[in-house]
């Protein structure tokens, strides 16, 4: 999809020249601009000046799509999946982008302009106040400490994680290294990227997720066949285990980088113990190759599982015996538990981590990890949700991994609760029957 977007960029540029239409550069956009595009690509974000672009509206993408991940990392209010936005909104039109509610307000009234100006000021005030949490340990009101990591997509993001006061990286989405290009990155290119990220983190943990493609993450040059059911298809660890050369070169690159910092490997979309075993066997093979060539790596590198499928939740007890750590990917776990496509707004009403089924899944995964004494984090968006935080504390989550701009807010939200208070909340919530009840109650207490 990303390459297709780039090809479309070029096509549109050529048509623009033929028609004598002037090209507009994102980097030239004046202050107060709302960027309205079909989709947001990594190449576009490079041109965005945060002081000038005040909002983003896209026609495609869902809350957890790559467009959303990119917009969140930029810390610019964004509303995605607004059909017809590019044709219906015109240049110089005054609009309001409410990223919190997902609303785009056209022709706003005087009252709406005042309301949103006040909201924006309150938001900026809150951001200034959050600065008091910078440099603090992440701890509950009773002093129990947690790890607060960041999700990143590029080595440059590692610098943003450090600036944001993240205590490490809980998810490096390596597929961004595979996008915006025409062929696979080489082992050396990947090694450079992982090493660079690790050096920026100066010894803080860096959890690198191996290639996660398919579903809503396409890489056109891999030539993946069109599937009836891409979310249930040939993707992520499944694809990697069948394309061993490519997979091994990524693993070797990660291992080589592990000589330069605290690097851990994480496999996405695990659904069966064999997949973890096969992946670990490949790590051992890659280690043997490196050893034979006299190349340094961390012999004790930790290999973890991203628990993001219903199957991995159900067999979390078995996986916990063979994995060094878990990280709960609620973006997918919610979709796979609810059988609700995370990108399909028609079933969006089912897609909530506060569904009793998803909460039971999360609690089970955390308990299974605790029973085997392995660390368990969460790198899905739910980790930054203030309503989820007391539940996660109660269930026993040890690490939260969130987008860089959320770090201080999450640290503040964690600091509000003692374990005992969180337990009382969780006990009530876990006795509730519907998502509506759960959300209404949690909204009333946060
Ligand atoms: C997840 O599934 O929760 C996750 C963090 O990974 P991604 O959003 O990249 O699928
Ligand atoms: Mg996922």
């Amino acid at each position: 999809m990303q390459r297709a977007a780039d090809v479309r960029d070029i096509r549109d540029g050529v048509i623009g020249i033929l028609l004598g239409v002037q090209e507009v550069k994102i980097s030239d956009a004046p202050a107060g601009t709302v960027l309205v595009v079909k989709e947001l690509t990594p190449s576009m974000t490079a041109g965005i000046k945060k002081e000038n672009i005040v909002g983003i509206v896209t026609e495609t993408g869902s809350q957890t799509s790559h467009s959303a991940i990119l917009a969140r990392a930029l810390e610019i209010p964004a509303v995605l999946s607004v059909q017809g936005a590019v044709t219906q909104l015109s240049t110089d039109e005054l609009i309001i982008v409410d990223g919190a509610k997902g609303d785009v307000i056209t022709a706003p009234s005087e009252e709406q302009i005042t309301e949103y100006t006040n909201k924006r000021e309150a938001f900026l005030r809150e951001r200034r106040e959050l600065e008091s949490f910078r440099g603090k340990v992440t701890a509950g009101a009773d002093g129990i400490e947690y790890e607060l990591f960041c999700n990143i997509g590029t080595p440059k993001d590692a610098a943003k994680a450090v600036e944001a006061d993240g205590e490490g990286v809980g998810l490096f989405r390596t597929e961004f290294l595979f996008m915006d290009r025409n062929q696979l990155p080489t082992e050396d290119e990947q090694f450079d990227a992982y090493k660079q990220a690790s050096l920026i983190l100066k010894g803080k943990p860096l959890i690198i997720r191996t290639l996660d493609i398919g579903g809503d993450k396409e890489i056109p040059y891999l030539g993946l066949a069109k599937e009836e059911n891409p979310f249930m298809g040939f993707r992520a660890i499944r694809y990697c285990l069948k394309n061993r050369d490519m997979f091994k070169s990524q693993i070797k690159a990660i291992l080589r980088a592990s000589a330069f910092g605290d690097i851990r490997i994480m496999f996405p979309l695990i659904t069966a113990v064999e997949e973890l075993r096969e992946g670990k066997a490949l790590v051992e093979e890659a280690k043997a190759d490196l050893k034979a060539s006299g190349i340094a790596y961390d012999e004790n590198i930790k290999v973890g599982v991203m628990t993001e499928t219903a199957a991995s939740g159900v067999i979390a007890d078995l996986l916990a015996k063979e994995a060094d750590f878990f990280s709960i990917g609620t973006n997918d776990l919610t979709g796979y538990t609810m059988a609700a496509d995370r990108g399909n707004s028609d079933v969006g009403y089912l897609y909530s981590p506060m569904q009793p089924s998803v909460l039971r899944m999360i609690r089970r995964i955390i308990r299974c990890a605790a029973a085997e004494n392995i660390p368990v984090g969460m790198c899905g968006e739910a980790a930054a949700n203030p309503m989820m935080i007391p539940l996660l504390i109660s269930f026993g989550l040890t690490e939260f991994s969130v987008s860089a701009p959320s770090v201080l807010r999450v640290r503040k939200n964690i600091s509000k609760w003692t374990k005992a208070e969180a337990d009382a909340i969780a006990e009530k919530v876990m006795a509730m029957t519907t998502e509506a009840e759960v959300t209404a109650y949690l909204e009333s207490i946060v």
Side-chain angles (χ1 to χ4, degrees):
M1 187 154 53
Q2 239 42 81
R3 283 281 348 136
D6 287 352
V7 172
R8 280 196 292 276
D9 279 356
I10 296 167
R11 180 203 62 190
D12 293 348
V14 171
I15 293 174
I17 292 164
L18 292 176
L19 295 175
V21 177
Q22 220 188 332
E23 192 195 336
V24 184
K25 271 213 187 107
I26 294 178
S27 54
D28 291 344
T33 301
V34 174
L35 185 65
V36 183
V37 289
K38 275 214 180 312
E39 56 191 308
L40 189 67
T41 65
S43 51
M44 272 181 201
T45 60
I48 289 180
K49 289 195 185 123
K50 270 172 67 175
E51 58 281 17
N52 292 351
I53 306 288
V54 293
I56 297 172
V57 179
T58 73
E59 289 196 348
T60 60
S62 62
Q63 213 197 342
T64 53
S65 67
H66 279 135
S67 284
I69 292 163
L70 292 168
R72 206 168 290 125
L74 285 165
E75 214 178 344
I76 295 175
V79 178
L80 310 184
S81 208
V82 182
Q83 265 139 39
V86 172
T87 42
Q88 282 170 33
L89 297 170
S90 46
T91 311
D92 292 336
E93 185 176 345
L94 179 65
I95 60 168
I96 292 174
V97 179
D98 182 341
K101 279 208 201 126
D103 286 343
V104 176
I105 303 169
T106 53
S109 64
E110 279 304 321
E111 291 93 81
Q112 280 174 317
I113 294 175
T114 317
E115 180 193 338
Y116 276 93
T117 310
N118 292 342
K119 272 193 184 170
R120 189 176 151 75
E121 270 160 21
F123 170 79
L124 294 173
R125 201 174 326 117
E126 190 217 5
R127 208 160 63 181
R128 281 195 299 276
E129 282 162 12
L130 285 174
E131 282 303 310
S132 64
F133 285 87
R134 188 175 289 281
K136 299 271 160 62
V137 289
T138 303
D142 47 11
I144 298 180
E145 290 186 15
Y146 303 88
E147 287 177 308
L148 180 51
F149 292 169
C150 287
N151 296 343
I152 67 168
T154 63
K156 273 200 207 134
D157 289 349
K160 288 196 195 137
V162 172
E163 266 167 48
D165 208 25
E167 298 158 22
V169 165
L171 169 64
F172 184 165
R173 288 183 164 100
T174 57
E175 56 278 5
F176 282 104
L177 298 178
F178 289 68
M179 288 177 171
D180 267 350
R181 49 188 298 139
N182 296 317
Q183 72 288 318
L184 290 171
T186 62
E187 181 187 314
D188 280 345
E189 281 174 307
Q190 292 188 65
F191 162 64
D192 284 342
Y194 306 146
K195 177 181 160 188
Q196 200 189 328
S198 187
L199 292 179
I200 291 170
L201 290 169
K202 295 201 172 74
K204 292 186 174 122
L206 169 62
I207 299 178
I208 302 181
R209 174 176 77 184
T210 59
L211 185 62
D212 182 13
I213 33 123
D216 58 355
K217 304 184 182 85
E218 275 186 60
I219 297 183
Y221 62 80
L222 291 181
L224 285 175
K226 274 262 164 284
E227 297 179 300
E228 287 279 330
N229 258 320
F231 275 90
M232 304 219 174
F234 189 45
R235 52 169 304 203
I237 189 77
R238 303 166 181 188
Y239 178 86
C240 288
L241 288 172
K242 290 283 178 325
N243 288 276
R244 292 172 67 90
D245 290 347
M246 185 204 77
F247 196 21
K248 199 162 159 187
S249 95
Q250 180 171 40
I251 291 173
K252 275 175 140 178
I254 300 173
L255 282 169
R256 285 167 59 192
S258 71
F260 297 88
D262 178 356
I263 289 184
R264 306 166 195 176
I265 300 179
M266 178 159 76
F267 297 135
L269 208 86
I270 294 287
T271 53
V273 173
E274 292 94 315
E275 290 167 336
L276 172 59
R277 287 188 186 156
E278 270 187 65
K280 282 172 72 173
L282 207 59
V283 172
E284 291 310 312
E285 255 183 53
K287 280 184 185 173
D289 288 357
L290 293 177
K291 189 171 268 167
S293 316
I295 299 173
Y297 61 89
D298 174 6
E299 181 59 51
N300 300 314
I301 194 161
K302 301 260 186 289
V303 180
V305 163
M306 202 159 159
T307 44
E308 54 178 342
T309 61
S312 66
V314 175
I315 59 161
D317 54 333
L318 306 177
L319 289 169
K321 290 188 171 53
E322 303 190 28
D324 294 322
F325 63 91
F326 282 166
S327 183
I328 307 175
T330 46
N331 304 345
D332 278 314
L333 184 66
T334 305
Y336 287 121
T337 301
M338 294 303 296
D341 178 346
R342 71 193 227 179
N344 181 343
S345 51
D346 290 335
V347 292
Y349 71 99
L350 292 170
Y351 184 88
S352 163
M354 258 118 17
Q355 285 281 355
S357 57
V358 183
L359 291 176
R360 278 163 174 70
M361 256 329 170
I362 294 172
R363 183 177 62 177
R364 171 172 170 74
I365 293 167
I366 297 173
R367 283 184 177 169
C368 291
E372 295 299 332
N373 239 329
I374 60 168
V376 55
M378 178 175 284
C379 56
E381 292 307 320
N385 183 336
M387 297 200 279
M388 290 292 291
I389 286 173
L391 303 180
L392 299 175
I393 289 177
S394 170
F395 296 163
L397 197 78
T398 53
E399 172 239 304
F400 295 72
S401 192
V402 303
S403 67
S406 309
V407 166
L408 297 181
R409 187 171 304 112
V410 171
R411 187 172 289 148
K412 177 182 173 186
N413 281 319
I414 290 175
S415 77
K416 287 182 183 166
W417 308 104
T418 63
K419 175 79 167 53
E421 285 161 350
D423 284 344
I425 293 166
E427 202 184 319
K428 279 204 182 108
V429 164
M430 296 312 276
M432 291 176 181
T433 323
T434 65
E435 195 260 355
E437 256 180 287
V438 173
T439 2
Y441 168 65
L442 290 175
E443 262 167 10
S444 75
I445 58 150
V446 295

